[in-house]
Amino acid sequence: MSKIKIAELFYSIQGEGRYMGVPSVFLRTFGCNFKCQGFGMPRGEMSQEVESIAARITEFKDYKELPLVSTGCDSYASWDPRFKDLSPMLTTDAIADRITEIIPHGEWRDEHLVITGGEPLLGWQRAYPDLLDHPKMAGLTEITFETNGTQQLTPEFKEYLKKWQLRTWHTGGPVREITFSVSAKLPCSGEKWEDAICPEIVREYEQVGTAYLKFVISTEQDFADAECAIGAFRAAGFRGHVYLMPVGGVETVYTLNNRRVADLAMKNGLRYSDRLQVPLFKNEWGT
Ligand code: SF4
């Protein structure tokens, strides 16, 4: 039986992107290929906010006790090795059991599954089929992978996802759908363009399901960078929708940006994504 290292597993409302407002189970896997220490910092500077938290690591017995940050990656503990002991390795059986405990009716109805991170398309691709084939997951019809768009799908997983969607077509059951919510990282993240903007990989996601781009925007420069990235994705043949989303893992930062980013999206004919989890739940862990 496969195992997955899980940073968080919780039930909430999807606050971002295509499924905004939909009741969702969030499976946050451990591990990421990026650090994104540039978020919320002056260009070229890297956030050190997590350093002081890591220095007090022994004070925290549970993921939920960790402080929120206003700069850098807001899910730092889902990939920073210093926090790895807060993320248990669970069998796919244990994950399926836990999911049926947290969804309201003990079975899938209109809820959707968000597999997020960290970067959920790193090594865990090999374990997802075991989880999705579990009898307790049979009623699930919609899955979103929240990815940074840099990880190729393995040929095996690609075929598996295609078949997962086809299964219900053949039996006349409800339509199943896979979505890739691609948060491609702009230079404001602190990551290098050549590592972060990978149009050919995202084109491949479109062969398997619906893929859309979601850019986190703070400044005019971020938007100019997003336009360059959109050009590169379109030149490679990407057909999906594009969302602009305000920076802001904490409410003070989010409220400075949201209206301006919404205006930018409207002016340029792009979609706006809110971060409903910030005004609704203050972006606390488990929301
Ligand atoms: S890709 Fe996402 S999870 Fe990984 S470091 Fe960047 S913001 Fe954090």
Side-chain angles (χ1 to χ4, degrees), residues 159-186:
E159 282 316 299
Y160 174 83
L161 290 176
K162 285 181 185 169
K163 283 187 188 147
W164 185 85
Q165 292 170 100
L166 282 176
R167 253 180 243 166
T168 46
W169 277 108
H170 291 151
T171 60
V175 175
R176 281 179 163 179
E177 198 170 358
I178 300 284
T179 298
F180 295 88
S181 172
V182 180
S183 183
K185 299 301 177 234
L186 297 172

Side-chain angles (χ1 to χ4, degrees), residues 32 34-36 39 73-75 78-79 117-119 148 185:
C32 189
F34 285 162
K35 293 185 172 168
C36 296
F39 279 136
C73 168
D74 62 0
S75 39
S78 68
W79 55 264
E119 171 46 53
N148 60 26
K185 299 301 177 234

Side-chain angles (χ1 to χ4, degrees), residues 3-4 6 9 13-14 27 43-44 47 54 56 60-61 98 125 145 149 176 181 186 201-202 209 218-219 259:
K3 290 183 176 177
I4 305 176
I6 299 295
L9 177 55
I13 286 173
Q14 172 58 290
L27 180 67
R43 192 62 60 121
S47 171
R56 298 189 286 126
F60 308 111
K61 302 288 173 244
R98 178 74 189 126
Q125 290 186 39
F145 291 95
R176 281 179 163 179
S181 172
L186 297 172
I201 289 176
V202 177
S218 171
T219 64
R259 173 62 198 263

